[in-house]
Amino acid sequence: MPIDYHTHNYRCGHAVGTLEEYVLSAIDKGMEQIGLSDHMPLVNLTQEEHPDIAMPMEELPRYVEECFSLKEKYKDRIAVRVGLEGDYVEGYEDKIERIVRDYPWDYVIGSVHFLGRWDVTDFRQANQWDGRNVAEAYALYFDAIAKAAATGFYDFIGHIDAIKRFAPTPPEEDVAALEEAALQAVKKHDVAFELNAAGFYAPCKEMYPADRILKRALELEIPVTFGSDAHHPDKVGQKGADARALLKNVGFTHLATFEGRIRTLKPF
């Protein structure tokens, strides 16, 4: 892939490597653009409760400053894009908006990890599926995706079906309408979405999103971008060739790229 718009670094507490190491990894792999997009500081939990989920609030200005410094330093070798994975948590929109509006991002990823205090993507919390109504959890999750799209905070939706990471697999007929409603919201509010490679390495063993969601997104003409969700510099661009082949097979011909919150479609 010529781009990778979803990467993390040591600041979030569960990734390794500096921002510069991610940039250099992308350069070594001949990429045209690298997006730096660490986890937004927590708005629904305290840093003391979960010190290894997101960067501390006091790190946010330092993170942005370093990103822009690298953008300038490597401008003749690669296009660095300054981003943020901005968790959407219902009820905390004011706090999220403040973070999104206060900095000159190139793009902001709208991801849903939390249903209340439960992080559905955290392996340490996978036991919360025990005895839970799976269909109801999926309904809450995809409703949150739709609400995230409607906020206007985000440029693209991250790992749109990440709830499947540890979830028992529900019948497709139980979730098809939920997926459709979420995609309709993404389309209505002119938000893109990503093909995220990390799902391949998760228990669900497939990228985010599932093929049926990819195909429906194409039918709705929703722009797609690519993210490795790398948590180690070596993982920049992971499964890029497979992702490219998958997108081509479905029928996508362009990737969404961003600068200064402006979306441009790039053929690939």
Side-chain angles (χ1 to χ4, degrees):
M1 278 293 194
I3 68 171
D4 184 349
Y5 267 59
H6 196 146
T7 62
H8 296 284
N9 71 100
Y10 75 91
R11 281 184 173 87
C12 70
H14 61 277
V16 298
T18 65
L19 290 168
E20 188 161 22
E21 288 173 323
Y22 284 83
V23 173
L24 291 172
S25 179
I27 291 172
D28 288 344
K29 293 172 181 176
M31 303 183 80
E32 297 173 15
Q33 297 185 24
I34 180 65
L36 306 174
S37 59
D38 206 18
H39 289 283
M40 179 185 78
L42 294 170
V43 295
N44 59 322
L45 302 168
T46 67
Q47 192 69 28
E48 290 72 24
E49 288 178 287
H50 292 282
D52 57 355
I53 288 182
M55 77 173 96
M57 188 66 74
E58 61 268 20
E59 279 295 317
L60 184 57
R62 290 193 280 267
Y63 163 76
V64 175
E65 182 178 10
E66 184 178 356
C67 286
F68 276 101
S69 174
L70 293 169
K71 184 173 185 173
E72 176 64 22
K73 180 177 180 178
Y74 291 100
K75 65 182 180 181
D76 295 329
R77 300 176 66 186
I78 193 170
V80 175
R81 298 293 183 253
V82 180
L84 182 75
E85 185 171 19
D87 275 271
Y88 175 75
V89 187
E90 187 173 1
Y92 293 87
E93 288 84 355
D94 289 349
K95 291 183 177 180
I96 299 168
E97 183 174 21
R98 195 171 304 121
I99 292 171
V100 170
R101 304 300 185 204
D102 278 356
Y103 294 92
W105 309 108
D106 285 319
Y107 67 96
V108 179
I109 307 173
S111 295
V112 174
H113 296 93
F114 290 97
L115 298 180
R117 297 173 62 85
W118 174 32
D119 183 348
V120 299
T121 67
D122 186 348
F123 71 94
R124 296 165 299 186
Q125 301 179 48
N127 61 355
Q128 292 205 38
W129 283 106
D130 297 344
R132 190 178 292 269
N133 185 308
V134 176
E136 288 182 0
Y138 268 69
L140 289 171
Y141 177 87
F142 281 108
D143 181 62
I145 292 288
K147 288 174 177 173
T151 61
F153 300 162
Y154 306 112
D155 299 288
F156 65 88
I157 298 296
H159 44 59
I160 196 169
D161 61 349
I163 190 172
K164 71 186 179 187
R165 184 177 188 185
F166 300 111
T169 304
E172 184 176 336
E173 58 267 24
D174 287 354
V175 298
L178 303 174
E179 294 169 352
E180 177 68 16
L183 286 173
Q184 290 289 347
V186 172
K187 173 64 176 178
K188 176 181 178 181
H189 298 287
D190 194 26
V191 182
F193 77 107
E194 72 168 351
L195 178 62
N196 182 303
F200 183 85
Y201 300 98
C204 61
K205 300 297 183 185
E206 66 175 6
M207 295 189 193
Y208 310 116
D211 287 2
R212 64 178 180 272
I213 298 178
L214 271 180
K215 292 173 182 176
R216 182 59 178 145
L218 179 67
E219 292 173 353
L220 292 171
E221 300 182 333
I222 301 173
V224 67
T225 192
F226 172 71
S228 66
D229 214 335
H231 283 65
H232 188 290
D234 291 349
K235 298 296 185 181
V236 169
Q238 65 181 344
K239 289 293 175 182
D242 291 344
R244 182 189 183 101
L246 175 58
L247 290 175
K248 288 282 191 181
N249 185 58
V250 170
F252 285 97
T253 59
H254 291 71
L255 292 170
T257 63
F258 302 87
E259 186 169 22
R261 309 298 301 274
I262 302 297
R263 183 174 71 213
T264 301
L265 296 181
K266 173 184 174 60
F268 72 102

mmCIF file of all heavy atoms in Angstrom, residues 50-79:
data_model
loop_
_atom_site.group_PDB
_atom_site.id
_atom_site.type_symbol
_atom_site.label_atom_id
_atom_site.label_comp_id
_atom_site.label_asym_id
_atom_site.label_seq_id
_atom_site.Cartn_x
_atom_site.Cartn_y
_atom_site.Cartn_z
ATOM 1 N N HIS A 50 -6.691 3.203 33.964
ATOM 2 C CA HIS A 50 -6.207 2.485 32.783
ATOM 3 C C HIS A 50 -5.007 3.232 32.195
ATOM 4 O O HIS A 50 -5.137 3.970 31.220
ATOM 5 C CB HIS A 50 -7.322 2.348 31.753
ATOM 6 C CG HIS A 50 -8.425 1.443 32.184
ATOM 7 N ND1 HIS A 50 -8.321 0.069 32.140
ATOM 8 C CD2 HIS A 50 -9.639 1.708 32.699
ATOM 9 C CE1 HIS A 50 -9.441 -0.477 32.588
ATOM 10 N NE2 HIS A 50 -10.256 0.497 32.942
ATOM 11 N N PRO A 51 -3.827 3.022 32.758
ATOM 12 C CA PRO A 51 -2.649 3.784 32.309
ATOM 13 C C PRO A 51 -2.087 3.339 30.971
ATOM 14 O O PRO A 51 -1.206 3.995 30.423
ATOM 15 C CB PRO A 51 -1.642 3.524 33.435
ATOM 16 C CG PRO A 51 -2.041 2.188 33.981
ATOM 17 C CD PRO A 51 -3.538 2.139 33.883
ATOM 18 N N ASP A 52 -2.590 2.229 30.414
ATOM 19 C CA ASP A 52 -1.994 1.672 29.207
ATOM 20 C C ASP A 52 -2.998 1.526 28.064
ATOM 21 O O ASP A 52 -2.919 0.604 27.254
ATOM 22 C CB ASP A 52 -1.348 0.313 29.502
ATOM 23 C CG ASP A 52 -2.332 -0.690 30.105
ATOM 24 O OD1 ASP A 52 -3.485 -0.300 30.371
ATOM 25 O OD2 ASP A 52 -1.939 -1.851 30.280
ATOM 26 N N ILE A 53 -3.955 2.458 27.992
ATOM 27 C CA ILE A 53 -4.942 2.437 26.909
ATOM 28 C C ILE A 53 -4.755 3.618 25.962
ATOM 29 O O ILE A 53 -4.944 3.484 24.753
ATOM 30 C CB ILE A 53 -6.375 2.426 27.479
ATOM 31 C CG1 ILE A 53 -6.685 1.044 28.110
ATOM 32 C CG2 ILE A 53 -7.408 2.750 26.416
ATOM 33 C CD1 ILE A 53 -8.085 0.916 28.660
ATOM 34 N N ALA A 54 -4.367 4.768 26.498
ATOM 35 C CA ALA A 54 -4.263 5.970 25.677
ATOM 36 C C ALA A 54 -3.207 6.895 26.267
ATOM 37 O O ALA A 54 -2.811 6.749 27.422
ATOM 38 C CB ALA A 54 -5.610 6.684 25.605
ATOM 39 N N MET A 55 -2.772 7.858 25.444
ATOM 40 C CA MET A 55 -1.766 8.786 25.952
ATOM 41 C C MET A 55 -2.354 9.685 27.036
ATOM 42 O O MET A 55 -3.546 10.042 26.982
ATOM 43 C CB MET A 55 -1.182 9.630 24.817
ATOM 44 C CG MET A 55 -2.055 10.760 24.317
ATOM 45 S SD MET A 55 -1.223 11.823 23.110
ATOM 46 C CE MET A 55 -1.813 11.101 21.578
ATOM 47 N N PRO A 56 -1.574 10.043 28.030
ATOM 48 C CA PRO A 56 -2.043 10.980 29.049
ATOM 49 C C PRO A 56 -2.340 12.343 28.426
ATOM 50 O O PRO A 56 -1.729 12.724 27.427
ATOM 51 C CB PRO A 56 -0.867 11.066 30.026
ATOM 52 C CG PRO A 56 -0.035 9.860 29.762
ATOM 53 C CD PRO A 56 -0.216 9.550 28.306
ATOM 54 N N MET A 57 -3.255 13.078 29.020
ATOM 55 C CA MET A 57 -3.640 14.381 28.476
ATOM 56 C C MET A 57 -2.452 15.333 28.386
ATOM 57 O O MET A 57 -2.337 16.104 27.425
ATOM 58 C CB MET A 57 -4.745 15.005 29.341
ATOM 59 C CG MET A 57 -5.351 16.259 28.748
ATOM 60 S SD MET A 57 -6.267 15.967 27.218
ATOM 61 C CE MET A 57 -7.756 15.180 27.853
ATOM 62 N N GLU A 58 -1.539 15.254 29.352
ATOM 63 C CA GLU A 58 -0.399 16.168 29.321
ATOM 64 C C GLU A 58 0.561 15.859 28.171
ATOM 65 O O GLU A 58 1.390 16.698 27.801
ATOM 66 C CB GLU A 58 0.355 16.142 30.648
ATOM 67 C CG GLU A 58 0.957 14.807 31.043
ATOM 68 C CD GLU A 58 0.016 13.966 31.900
ATOM 69 O OE1 GLU A 58 -1.208 14.229 31.877
ATOM 70 O OE2 GLU A 58 0.522 13.058 32.587
ATOM 71 N N GLU A 59 0.448 14.676 27.589
ATOM 72 C CA GLU A 59 1.300 14.319 26.456
ATOM 73 C C GLU A 59 0.757 14.829 25.130
ATOM 74 O O GLU A 59 1.489 14.883 24.135
ATOM 75 C CB GLU A 59 1.464 12.798 26.376
ATOM 76 C CG GLU A 59 2.489 12.212 27.317
ATOM 77 C CD GLU A 59 3.905 12.688 26.995
ATOM 78 O OE1 GLU A 59 4.265 12.735 25.801
ATOM 79 O OE2 GLU A 59 4.631 13.032 27.931
ATOM 80 N N LEU A 60 -0.522 15.191 25.088
ATOM 81 C CA LEU A 60 -1.147 15.536 23.813
ATOM 82 C C LEU A 60 -0.431 16.679 23.084
ATOM 83 O O LEU A 60 -0.098 16.534 21.900
ATOM 84 C CB LEU A 60 -2.619 15.860 24.027
ATOM 85 C CG LEU A 60 -3.441 16.151 22.770
ATOM 86 C CD1 LEU A 60 -3.387 14.987 21.789
ATOM 87 C CD2 LEU A 60 -4.895 16.458 23.154
ATOM 88 N N PRO A 61 -0.151 17.820 23.734
ATOM 89 C CA PRO A 61 0.548 18.888 22.999
ATOM 90 C C PRO A 61 1.948 18.491 22.565
ATOM 91 O O PRO A 61 2.408 18.891 21.485
ATOM 92 C CB PRO A 61 0.562 20.056 23.983
ATOM 93 C CG PRO A 61 0.306 19.461 25.322
ATOM 94 C CD PRO A 61 -0.538 18.248 25.093
ATOM 95 N N ARG A 62 2.624 17.684 23.372
ATOM 96 C CA ARG A 62 3.964 17.228 22.988
ATOM 97 C C ARG A 62 3.888 16.283 21.790
ATOM 98 O O ARG A 62 4.749 16.305 20.899
ATOM 99 C CB ARG A 62 4.649 16.552 24.178
ATOM 100 C CG ARG A 62 5.031 17.522 25.283
ATOM 101 C CD ARG A 62 5.965 16.889 26.294
ATOM 102 N NE ARG A 62 5.266 16.048 27.252
ATOM 103 C CZ ARG A 62 4.819 16.469 28.438
ATOM 104 N NH1 ARG A 62 4.999 17.737 28.786
ATOM 105 N NH2 ARG A 62 4.209 15.655 29.265
ATOM 106 N N TYR A 63 2.864 15.434 21.781
ATOM 107 C CA TYR A 63 2.646 14.530 20.647
ATOM 108 C C TYR A 63 2.437 15.329 19.357
ATOM 109 O O TYR A 63 3.073 15.057 18.335
ATOM 110 C CB TYR A 63 1.437 13.642 20.947
ATOM 111 C CG TYR A 63 0.842 12.947 19.746
ATOM 112 C CD1 TYR A 63 1.466 11.834 19.178
ATOM 113 C CD2 TYR A 63 -0.361 13.384 19.183
ATOM 114 C CE1 TYR A 63 0.906 11.198 18.071
ATOM 115 C CE2 TYR A 63 -0.925 12.753 18.091
ATOM 116 C CZ TYR A 63 -0.279 11.647 17.537
ATOM 117 O OH TYR A 63 -0.835 11.024 16.443
ATOM 118 N N VAL A 64 1.556 16.316 19.406
ATOM 119 C CA VAL A 64 1.265 17.117 18.208
ATOM 120 C C VAL A 64 2.515 17.856 17.746
ATOM 121 O O VAL A 64 2.835 17.883 16.544
ATOM 122 C CB VAL A 64 0.113 18.101 18.487
ATOM 123 C CG1 VAL A 64 -0.116 19.012 17.286
ATOM 124 C CG2 VAL A 64 -1.165 17.343 18.830
ATOM 125 N N GLU A 65 3.242 18.449 18.674
ATOM 126 C CA GLU A 65 4.453 19.187 18.319
ATOM 127 C C GLU A 65 5.466 18.268 17.643
ATOM 128 O O GLU A 65 6.071 18.628 16.616
ATOM 129 C CB GLU A 65 5.060 19.808 19.576
ATOM 130 C CG GLU A 65 6.310 20.637 19.302
ATOM 131 C CD GLU A 65 6.865 21.280 20.559
ATOM 132 O OE1 GLU A 65 6.407 20.944 21.658
ATOM 133 O OE2 GLU A 65 7.775 22.124 20.415
ATOM 134 N N GLU A 66 5.642 17.058 18.180
ATOM 135 C CA GLU A 66 6.603 16.125 17.591
ATOM 136 C C GLU A 66 6.148 15.679 16.203
ATOM 137 O O GLU A 66 6.963 15.562 15.278
ATOM 138 C CB GLU A 66 6.805 14.919 18.502
ATOM 139 C CG GLU A 66 7.876 13.971 17.979
ATOM 140 C CD GLU A 66 8.123 12.780 18.893
ATOM 141 O OE1 GLU A 66 7.529 12.712 19.982
ATOM 142 O OE2 GLU A 66 8.915 11.904 18.488
ATOM 143 N N CYS A 67 4.857 15.429 16.044
ATOM 144 C CA CYS A 67 4.329 15.035 14.734
ATOM 145 C C CYS A 67 4.630 16.088 13.675
ATOM 146 O O CYS A 67 5.098 15.769 12.570
ATOM 147 C CB CYS A 67 2.818 14.807 14.814
ATOM 148 S SG CYS A 67 2.301 13.296 15.643
ATOM 149 N N PHE A 68 4.364 17.339 13.991
ATOM 150 C CA PHE A 68 4.592 18.401 13.011
ATOM 151 C C PHE A 68 6.083 18.618 12.757
ATOM 152 O O PHE A 68 6.489 18.969 11.640
ATOM 153 C CB PHE A 68 3.913 19.698 13.447
ATOM 154 C CG PHE A 68 2.465 19.750 13.050
ATOM 155 C CD1 PHE A 68 1.469 19.477 13.970
ATOM 156 C CD2 PHE A 68 2.099 20.035 11.742
ATOM 157 C CE1 PHE A 68 0.131 19.500 13.612
ATOM 158 C CE2 PHE A 68 0.767 20.069 11.366
ATOM 159 C CZ PHE A 68 -0.217 19.801 12.301
ATOM 160 N N SER A 69 6.903 18.392 13.768
ATOM 161 C CA SER A 69 8.341 18.477 13.578
ATOM 162 C C SER A 69 8.812 17.414 12.587
ATOM 163 O O SER A 69 9.635 17.694 11.693
ATOM 164 C CB SER A 69 9.059 18.309 14.917
ATOM 165 O OG SER A 69 10.459 18.261 14.746
ATOM 166 N N LEU A 70 8.284 16.202 12.708
ATOM 167 C CA LEU A 70 8.650 15.125 11.792
ATOM 168 C C LEU A 70 8.096 15.375 10.394
ATOM 169 O O LEU A 70 8.737 15.032 9.393
ATOM 170 C CB LEU A 70 8.138 13.787 12.335
ATOM 171 C CG LEU A 70 8.804 13.308 13.622
ATOM 172 C CD1 LEU A 70 8.054 12.121 14.211
ATOM 173 C CD2 LEU A 70 10.268 12.930 13.364
ATOM 174 N N LYS A 71 6.925 15.968 10.326
ATOM 175 C CA LYS A 71 6.348 16.306 9.021
ATOM 176 C C LYS A 71 7.289 17.229 8.253
ATOM 177 O O LYS A 71 7.491 17.059 7.037
ATOM 178 C CB LYS A 71 4.974 16.959 9.219
ATOM 179 C CG LYS A 71 4.229 17.268 7.935
ATOM 180 C CD LYS A 71 2.807 17.747 8.226
ATOM 181 C CE LYS A 71 2.014 17.931 6.941
ATOM 182 N NZ LYS A 71 0.582 18.236 7.201
ATOM 183 N N GLU A 72 7.848 18.189 8.941
ATOM 184 C CA GLU A 72 8.784 19.119 8.313
ATOM 185 C C GLU A 72 10.126 18.443 8.022
ATOM 186 O O GLU A 72 10.682 18.601 6.929
ATOM 187 C CB GLU A 72 8.994 20.330 9.230
ATOM 188 C CG GLU A 72 10.020 21.338 8.737
ATOM 189 C CD GLU A 72 9.626 22.014 7.431
ATOM 190 O OE1 GLU A 72 8.418 22.052 7.088
ATOM 191 O OE2 GLU A 72 10.534 22.507 6.727
ATOM 192 N N LYS A 73 10.625 17.677 8.967
ATOM 193 C CA LYS A 73 11.944 17.058 8.843
ATOM 194 C C LYS A 73 12.025 16.120 7.639
ATOM 195 O O LYS A 73 13.043 16.073 6.942
ATOM 196 C CB LYS A 73 12.290 16.309 10.123
ATOM 197 C CG LYS A 73 13.648 15.619 10.101
ATOM 198 C CD LYS A 73 13.949 14.964 11.448
ATOM 199 C CE LYS A 73 15.311 14.268 11.435
ATOM 200 N NZ LYS A 73 15.632 13.654 12.760
ATOM 201 N N TYR A 74 10.940 15.379 7.391
ATOM 202 C CA TYR A 74 10.978 14.347 6.356
ATOM 203 C C TYR A 74 10.159 14.707 5.121
ATOM 204 O O TYR A 74 9.853 13.835 4.299
ATOM 205 C CB TYR A 74 10.500 13.017 6.940
ATOM 206 C CG TYR A 74 11.478 12.439 7.943
ATOM 207 C CD1 TYR A 74 11.256 12.577 9.306
ATOM 208 C CD2 TYR A 74 12.627 11.791 7.510
ATOM 209 C CE1 TYR A 74 12.165 12.063 10.234
ATOM 210 C CE2 TYR A 74 13.533 11.274 8.420
ATOM 211 C CZ TYR A 74 13.295 11.403 9.780
ATOM 212 O OH TYR A 74 14.210 10.899 10.677
ATOM 213 N N LYS A 75 9.844 15.970 4.955
ATOM 214 C CA LYS A 75 8.945 16.380 3.872
ATOM 215 C C LYS A 75 9.473 16.048 2.486
ATOM 216 O O LYS A 75 8.707 15.908 1.531
ATOM 217 C CB LYS A 75 8.637 17.874 3.980
ATOM 218 C CG LYS A 75 9.842 18.780 3.776
ATOM 219 C CD LYS A 75 9.444 20.250 3.943
ATOM 220 C CE LYS A 75 10.644 21.174 3.735
ATOM 221 N NZ LYS A 75 10.251 22.597 3.931
ATOM 222 N N ASP A 76 10.811 15.927 2.342
ATOM 223 C CA ASP A 76 11.389 15.602 1.044
ATOM 224 C C ASP A 76 11.488 14.098 0.815
ATOM 225 O O ASP A 76 11.903 13.664 -0.269
ATOM 226 C CB ASP A 76 12.777 16.234 0.907
ATOM 227 C CG ASP A 76 12.721 17.755 0.904
ATOM 228 O OD1 ASP A 76 11.705 18.311 0.425
ATOM 229 O OD2 ASP A 76 13.677 18.378 1.384
ATOM 230 N N ARG A 77 11.097 13.295 1.828
ATOM 231 C CA ARG A 77 11.219 11.834 1.698
ATOM 232 C C ARG A 77 9.881 11.120 1.794
ATOM 233 O O ARG A 77 9.712 10.055 1.203
ATOM 234 C CB ARG A 77 12.180 11.308 2.778
ATOM 235 C CG ARG A 77 13.577 11.908 2.678
ATOM 236 C CD ARG A 77 14.471 11.441 3.799
ATOM 237 N NE ARG A 77 14.748 10.010 3.709
ATOM 238 C CZ ARG A 77 15.414 9.338 4.633
ATOM 239 N NH1 ARG A 77 15.868 9.963 5.726
ATOM 240 N NH2 ARG A 77 15.629 8.052 4.489
ATOM 241 N N ILE A 78 8.957 11.705 2.512
ATOM 242 C CA ILE A 78 7.644 11.089 2.671
ATOM 243 C C ILE A 78 6.675 12.153 3.182
ATOM 244 O O ILE A 78 7.088 13.090 3.890
ATOM 245 C CB ILE A 78 7.684 9.892 3.655
ATOM 246 C CG1 ILE A 78 6.401 9.056 3.566
ATOM 247 C CG2 ILE A 78 7.957 10.350 5.080
ATOM 248 C CD1 ILE A 78 6.464 7.740 4.322
ATOM 249 N N ALA A 79 5.420 12.006 2.822
ATOM 250 C CA ALA A 79 4.398 12.921 3.331
ATOM 251 C C ALA A 79 3.883 12.388 4.663
ATOM 252 O O ALA A 79 3.246 11.333 4.709
ATOM 253 C CB ALA A 79 3.250 13.037 2.332
#
